[in-house]
Amino acid sequence: MEYEIFSPYRVCPVGAHVDHQHGLVTGFAIDKGVTLWFDVTDDGSVHLESRTFPGIIDFNIKEETLVKQGNWGDYARGAKYALRKRYKLTKGINGVIQGTLPVGGACRAAQPC
């Protein structure tokens, strides 16, 4: 893959609602996060595989997409939905994504969110 992006996880010990209430923010990034390796596609197609959750996600940036399908691809489709409100999207990606934080809570590899 030609490109690699790493987004660190953020920790907010005081709570996530302090900053928009004009309070002090004590959040910080840690060395765990999400990495995306990808190539750009000219036709607007998006093909994503996850090393953390099962299933392959395919859609096209230029076409309307059902936003919520009940799997990890909802996050990618949600990003497309939000970005299309502000930008004219023309290119897609072919990529692999992986998180480094252990999966817990209601979302598990055997039973995606």
Side-chain angles (χ1 to χ4, degrees), residues 10-19 23-30:
R10 181 176 177 226
V11 177
C12 288
V14 176
H17 300 287
V18 176
D19 53 352
L24 298 176
V25 177
T26 59
F28 56 91
I30 62 173

Side-chain angles (χ1 to χ4, degrees), residues 75-89:
Y75 295 101
R77 288 184 292 271
K80 177 194 103 165
Y81 178 80
L83 288 167
R84 280 185 66 179
K85 288 182 172 188
R86 184 172 233 181
Y87 304 102
K88 180 181 179 187
L89 304 179

Side-chain angles (χ1 to χ4, degrees), residues 46-59 69 71-74 76-77 93-97 112:
V46 174
H47 175 85
L48 292 171
E49 298 181 26
S50 171
R51 292 183 180 169
T52 309
F53 296 104
I56 294 172
I57 305 304
D58 288 299
F59 60 90
Q69 294 183 7
N71 58 37
W72 65 269
D74 286 344
R77 288 184 292 271
I93 63 170
N94 176 21
V96 177
I97 192 166

